Amino acid sequence: MSASPIAAPKPLAAVTGASSGIGLELARLFAANGFDLVINAEDAALHEAAEELRGSGAAVRVVQADLRAPDGVTELYDEIRADGRPLAAIALNAGVGQGGAFVETDLGHDLEIIELNILSTVRLAKLALRDMLDAGQGRVLVTSSIAAEMPGSFQATYNASKSFLQSFTTALQDELKDTGVTLTSLMPGPTDTEFFARARMLDTAVGRGKKDDPAQVAEQGFAAMMAGEARAVGGGLATKVQEAASKVLPDKVKAALHRRMAQPGSDS
């Protein structure tokens, strides 16, 4: 009697910021499309997300760690490499924001934006891309934002961090062309997540306004990543119109428009 064939291991994907919002929706898509997962966030809700994802048949490993610290990035990447499988895809999605006038916001909060949105992304990209190049293939999704294309009055550090990610991703796309490794920038507009509450922006026009479905945004980003496309504008028609307008309006006008959306008290 012949032995049953051993099933090939599933491809491995990693998602940061996976406990809620766009990150959780991306993790659901990876699991539904035959990937095993390493997921990360700093909050305990990550464990609930893992249980749900395992219900879809994916093997899920959890790294509850703060990526603002280099040790958190190291802990996550050690777990990604723990079973020897190559990393097929990674969604660099973790991010944080802060609303308010720059001269009034807490400096520590501004630095947290830089540490999480920029530094953790650079650290993880360095590790992941080197391994992917050695393997000759891999897909990277970077959650940027429509905010990357607008000077962010009353969200100055956040928008600047997303502009960094946009430039960084575009540069790496050129560096890595024809290598088998692709990078995709996901550019959501205002999305129905916990972002605005955490950023203390519920008294702003954008905080109270209509938002896109995070599941739709994640689907658009996932499809673009799997197709090796350079970018995906996530969300509905209003977000796509905003992205198109940002290409032609001068920065001074975009900053004034952003003030109308993000200035504290603009919801009244």
Side-chain angles (χ1 to χ4, degrees):
M1 184 175 183
S2 60
S4 299
I6 299 173
K10 291 182 178 181
L12 181 64
V15 182
T16 65
S19 60
S20 63
I22 296 171
L24 177 56
E25 297 295 345
L26 285 168
R28 287 169 174 159
L29 287 165
F30 277 115
N33 283 273
F35 288 80
D36 287 336
L37 285 161
V38 178
I39 59 173
N40 160 263
E42 65 171 339
D43 58 290
L46 186 67
H47 296 277
E48 297 176 15
E51 286 304 308
E52 175 200 324
L53 294 166
R54 290 179 185 123
S56 65
V60 182
R61 287 177 277 146
V62 172
V63 181
Q64 185 180 343
D66 184 352
L67 299 185
R68 290 172 295 183
D71 287 350
V73 173
T74 300
E75 181 182 352
L76 172 59
Y77 212 73
D78 284 349
E79 187 60 40
I80 288 171
R81 301 188 69 181
D83 69 358
R85 265 186 291 179
L87 181 63
I90 186 168
L92 300 172
N93 171 76
V96 68
Q98 173 68 53
F102 177 74
V103 295
E104 297 174 1
T105 54
D106 180 77
L107 176 60
H109 291 161
D110 291 311
L111 295 179
E112 286 176 359
I113 292 170
I114 295 168
E115 289 162 353
L116 184 59
N117 297 10
I118 296 177
L119 294 183
S120 79
T121 302
V122 171
R123 289 182 177 119
L124 277 168
K126 182 78 75 171
L127 296 167
L129 288 171
R130 285 176 170 171
D131 284 352
M132 287 177 172
L133 277 174
D134 287 344
Q137 59 185 352
R139 301 190 186 281
V140 179
L141 182 69
V142 179
T143 301
S144 175
S145 174
I146 290 297
E149 300 187 342
M150 298 182 72
S153 306
F154 298 96
Q155 251 185 310
T157 307
Y158 174 78
N159 283 41
S161 75
K162 293 299 184 177
S163 295
F164 175 94
L165 292 182
Q166 194 64 34
S167 176
F168 177 68
T169 303
T170 303
L172 294 182
Q173 287 167 347
D174 183 71
E175 287 186 22
L176 298 175
K177 63 183 179 181
D178 304 321
T179 65
V181 178
T182 64
L183 293 96
T184 301
S185 171
L186 174 58
M187 302 177 68
T191 305
D192 190 12
T193 69
E194 299 172 0
F195 175 87
F196 294 99
R198 291 175 174 174
R200 302 176 185 177
M201 294 181 66
L202 294 181
D203 65 341
T204 65
V206 67
R208 292 291 187 187
K210 184 178 179 180
K211 299 177 181 61
D212 292 319
D213 180 356
Q216 178 191 32
V217 172
E219 286 171 5
Q220 292 162 332
F222 184 84
M225 177 195 65
M226 295 304 292
E229 296 173 1
R231 67 167 63 185
V233 178
L237 179 61
T239 298
K240 297 183 190 303
V241 169
Q242 183 179 343
E243 193 268 342
S246 71
K247 294 178 179 178
V248 296
L249 294 175
D251 283 350
K252 186 174 182 179
V253 173
K254 289 188 284 188
L257 290 172
H258 201 280
R259 167 190 285 268
R260 292 171 58 184
M261 295 189 298
Q263 186 170 11
S266 57
D267 64 326
S268 57

